Amino acid sequence: MGVEKLLVLFLVLISIRYSEQLQSSQVQTLLRIQHLLNYPTALSSWSNETDFCKIEPSSTVTVVCYDENITQLHIIGRKGTSPLPRKFSIRSFLNALAKLPSLKVLRLVSLGLWGPLPDKLSRLSALEILDLSSNYFHSGIPEAVSSLTDLQTLVLDGNRLTGGIPDGLGSLSVLAVLSLKSNSLDGPLPDTLHDLNNLRVLSLSKNNFSGDVPDLSSLQNLQVLELEDNSFGPKFPQTGSKIESIALRNNKFTANIPEKVQSYYQLEHFDISSNNFMGPFPPSLLSLSSITYLNVAGNKLTGMLFEDNPCNTALDFVDLSGNLLTGSLPNCLLSSSRNRIVHFSNNCLATGDGTQHPFSFCRNEALAVGVLPQHQRQKHASKVILALIICGSITGGVILVCLTILIVKSFLAKKASAQNTPPRFISEDASSSYTSKLFTDPRYITQAMKLGALSLPSYRIFSLEELEAATNNFDTTTFMGEIPNGQMYRGQMRDGSYITIRCQIMKRSNTRQNFMHHIELISKLRHQHLVSALGHCFQFYSDDSSVSRIFLVFEYVPNGTLRRWISDKHARRKLTWTQRIAAATGVAKGLQFLHNGIIPGLFSNNLKITDILLDQTLVAKISSYNLPILSENVGKV
């Protein structure tokens, strides 16, 4: 017990030793930046006596230090700030920034910066997040941006940039967020975009882009596609099946809605309004398992709706107005059980409220654009119905009613059959999501902030088949022990390396989004003195796509806990005092990283000596970060 107290005392001393003291040259650089920005109010407290590393972070200014260097600089001005005076030089400003060689995150928002983006951006070679939004930059995006090989987030929203997207951006292999909204960029998109395999967000709204969108179906991590207010078209963009948000409003799309869209079970936001989409509207979009927002207004979509068409209970907004839809509005859209917003005017629906065109209007419009009002799979029924309408006979009305009854009965029979089928599980390599928070919330941890030279593979998504193969189908011989609401296993990959797998069972009602904040955080905690995460895998129920199990994959640390190595009862060789001091120093560095190497820091570490493991070279690694995976959503084992 005395040794443990000595270790705790040493950790305190080490932590004090590692407190940050900024280099004087970098202090002068910050004061130079203050001068070049014309002494904005947010920086009024800066002076030679300011301890920049201890400035309390705020919504307008944040400075982060690590190892006597500035690693993050966030300065946020007032929205609508006027351009800086004519004497301002963007080249001089970048020369000053280049004197911060360890700068990983740079956010300069609404500061009145102006001028062309210079090639000197390449001198900020360590950047991972660059946000220069809401300024007055003009001219094109320089090719020099392509040399920032560690760049993960590029946000240039709300400037006056012109020209196209440089082909070289496709070489940024770790780029996850590309946001260029509200500029004057034009031309077609470069085909090299499909090389951005880690891209999660592509936001190009409010520009002058045109032409077809390149094939993005190979980007399996893409979750947000925002292309509103451009001139894209005519083909519907091709994306991977894990897309969560598609916004195509106000473009020049004229094609059909691809059948593949009906299989996008993670799709939450779907807006294709104010285009010229033609062909049948798939009613199944109303019941997609994750859909909450659906807007198809202002197109030429045809088809018949029925009162018993189902809807997702989470659907909050639906706009079907301004199309060529017939039939009856689904009862689920009329339900007052939730505050759902529904618009459906200017169709040919049987609503009886005076907001609809006569049936003949939609029939004639559909024929004029060369599409039939019914789905191709009901081609024969469509011809019969159309003929009966033209004849206007009573017999036709009777046949139409009969056909409707048969179709509804067939639908209900299939639905009942599906409900009697026992649920099966599907495994989905869900991406460690990027939601749009990654570029609107700079506190997300980035890859280079690990600040440790790691010989680890990149964080990735594992398939369930890989994990089963590594553990021989989770054989009992690979079982390492119980954890809260789950089990832990040791696995061996095909290349011979070992991994640790934490399997946790979840309550049925939770979707992937409930856990992605924690997955995002864990994926970035990679340091020489942490047991680092290697990847994850989600398993879903097939009937409602809620998460059934989460597999977290970590590096395998073979030499047990530090407690065992310093215990008198330990049968193996004892650690020397030099090794014990090295272990304590390593733990202090790991804590330093958790506290100050990331934003926001992790401080609630209930660290015990049993949470410290030793690897094959006796390097100490912290194995517990106190990061619950939403414990209220964890099911019982």
Side-chain angles (χ1 to χ4, degrees), residues 133 149 167 178 230 244 393 474 489 578 588:
S133 55
T149 55
D167 289 342
L178 178 59
N230 281 284
E244 296 179 3
S393 64
F474 297 99
Y489 296 86
T578 300

Side-chain angles (χ1 to χ4, degrees), residues 64-101:
V64 178
C65 307
Y66 188 84
D67 277 353
E68 302 181 2
N69 288 290
I70 295 175
T71 59
Q72 298 190 38
L73 179 61
H74 309 251
I75 307 176
I76 316 298
R78 292 183 178 180
K79 187 175 181 181
T81 297
S82 300
L84 290 170
R86 294 186 63 182
K87 66 180 180 179
F88 172 76
S89 169
I90 186 61
R91 293 183 180 275
S92 299
F93 188 72
L94 280 175
N95 284 338
L97 288 172
K99 295 179 180 179
L100 304 176

Side-chain angles (χ1 to χ4, degrees), residues 388-398:
L388 292 174
I389 292 173
I390 294 175
C391 295
S393 64
I394 297 176
T395 305
V398 173

Side-chain angles (χ1 to χ4, degrees), residues 19-258:
S19 63
E20 300 296 343
Q21 184 64 43
L22 192 60
Q23 299 175 11
S24 59
S25 62
Q26 298 198 16
V27 171
Q28 295 307 310
T29 297
L30 289 178
L31 296 178
R32 173 68 174 161
I33 290 172
Q34 178 191 35
H35 169 72
L36 293 172
L37 290 177
N38 204 28
Y39 298 94
T41 303
L43 309 183
S44 60
S45 63
W46 286 13
S47 69
N48 281 309
E49 288 72 36
T50 302
D51 189 344
F52 288 97
C53 294
K54 293 184 179 179
I55 294 177
E56 188 71 23
S58 70
S59 60
T60 57
V61 180
T62 298
V63 179
V64 178
C65 307
Y66 188 84
D67 277 353
E68 302 181 2
N69 288 290
I70 295 175
T71 59
Q72 298 190 38
L73 179 61
H74 309 251
I75 307 176
I76 316 298
R78 292 183 178 180
K79 187 175 181 181
T81 297
S82 300
L84 290 170
R86 294 186 63 182
K87 66 180 180 179
F88 172 76
S89 169
I90 186 61
R91 293 183 180 275
S92 299
F93 188 72
L94 280 175
N95 284 338
L97 288 172
K99 295 179 180 179
L100 304 176
S102 298
L103 196 61
K104 311 285 183 183
V105 179
L106 178 62
R107 297 189 70 234
L108 304 171
V109 179
S110 298
L111 296 177
L113 302 172
W114 61 270
L117 288 174
D119 289 336
K120 287 187 176 181
L121 274 174
S122 60
R123 297 178 62 185
L124 306 176
S125 58
L127 278 183
E128 292 187 352
I129 291 182
L130 176 60
D131 183 354
L132 302 176
S133 55
S134 300
N135 286 291
Y136 298 91
F137 291 112
H138 58 76
S139 300
I141 301 172
E143 282 284 353
V145 174
S146 305
S147 65
L148 302 176
T149 55
D150 291 331
L151 198 62
Q152 297 182 30
T153 297
L154 177 61
V155 182
L156 302 175
D157 298 345
N159 283 283
R160 299 175 178 179
L161 298 172
T162 57
I165 296 177
D167 289 342
L169 282 186
S171 65
L172 298 177
S173 60
V174 296
L175 190 67
V177 179
L178 178 59
S179 185
L180 308 174
K181 296 185 296 185
S182 301
N183 282 283
S184 297
L185 297 166
D186 56 24
L189 300 183
D191 290 335
T192 54
L193 288 181
H194 62 58
D195 295 327
L196 298 174
N197 293 324
N198 287 300
L199 194 65
R200 300 177 185 177
V201 173
L202 180 60
S203 186
L204 307 175
S205 303
K206 296 183 179 180
N207 280 284
N208 300 315
F209 292 116
S210 59
D212 283 326
V213 179
D215 187 352
L216 305 177
S217 58
S218 62
L219 305 184
Q220 292 302 308
N221 291 317
L222 186 64
Q223 296 170 336
V224 177
L225 180 64
E226 297 178 338
L227 306 178
E228 304 108 314
D229 300 309
N230 281 284
S231 296
F232 288 116
K235 297 180 181 178
F236 192 97
Q238 299 183 59
T239 67
S241 60
K242 297 173 186 174
I243 193 77
E244 296 179 3
S245 177
I246 298 177
L248 308 179
R249 178 177 53 83
N250 194 25
N251 276 280
K252 295 183 178 180
F253 294 106
T254 60
N256 294 354
I257 299 176

